[in-house]
Amino acid sequence: MFDMEVCVSGQGDVDASTRGSRDWQLEALRTRIAAMSPRSVSVAARSVGDRAAGSGDEVLPVPDCLAAVLPGGGLRRGTIVGCPRGSLLLALLAEATAAGYWSAVVGNPQIGLLALHEMGGKLGKLAHIPDPGLDALAVVAVLLDGVDLVVLDHRGSAAASRSRAVAARIRSHRAVLIVTAPGWLRPDVTIEAQVVDYSGLGRGRGRLTGIEFELPVTGRARQPRTTRIALTGTGCGQTSWKSSVGWEPRTQRKQIG
């Protein structure tokens, strides 16, 4: 994982010198984005139009057990996805980085990097900016120039005009933005995660071997769908996701009124 921890940090009131320093830090971040491998980050080496014409991958991969309930079977490029902080978010990052896509997390200083690695994620394809300072959207906008998947895991809000500008940038750069909390941008698709069962624990004792989640998925102009998936240990410090036994993804009718 390449470290951007000090790039954009800042707290308290912002004077002119601090603003100048932060501008320099953002420019340094742009430089590092541009220096990333052109094989993985085509925006850094080519125009957006070339990227759209040549990449051929309209969605970023997700665990197979989750693909059936997502539009296009993955994270569709040019969209905003709502997903809570936790194991499911790590699963999306792990799948994308394992497939070779550059990803970045803005915020969440305590993100579970070890858990991400145990899910098969590649930390060398992940940037982490734990403290984005007072303007997290500015950091996100820079990252969108050259990162396929950006996670905004930082509480805050933005004016509607700025949110629209960032949404347009996501579409034009064919990136994916995941937001973990409301207040920033309205998601096109929202995935929720609810723990429904544990395995491996007996009557007051035992070792936890798996966690089962129910995942309601909602989105604009599409029927809500729900599936159940389980996170289980595979040995040797690795974990994997699989569909829950006997569970089929189902479509729910939207309630009106």
Side-chain angles (χ1 to χ4, degrees), residues 156-177:
S157 61
S161 58
R162 289 204 66 201
S163 296
R164 288 192 297 268
V166 172
R169 197 179 189 94
I170 294 166
R171 291 190 296 270
S172 66
H173 286 65
R174 299 185 63 248
V176 176
L177 175 67

Side-chain angles (χ1 to χ4, degrees), residues 102-183:
W102 286 103
S103 303
V105 178
V106 179
N108 190 358
Q110 298 179 336
I111 187 170
L113 296 177
L114 176 58
L116 190 153
H117 171 71
E118 291 175 341
M119 292 179 191
K122 303 298 184 185
L123 298 183
K125 288 289 184 179
L126 179 69
H128 184 207
I129 300 90
D131 179 9
L134 301 176
D135 194 352
L137 272 191
V139 179
V140 169
V142 172
L143 291 167
L144 290 171
D145 283 342
V147 176
D148 297 287
L149 174 61
V150 179
V151 175
L152 179 52
D153 191 3
H154 188 71
R155 293 195 176 276
S157 61
S161 58
R162 289 204 66 201
S163 296
R164 288 192 297 268
V166 172
R169 197 179 189 94
I170 294 166
R171 291 190 296 270
S172 66
H173 286 65
R174 299 185 63 248
V176 176
L177 175 67
I178 296 178
V179 292
T180 64

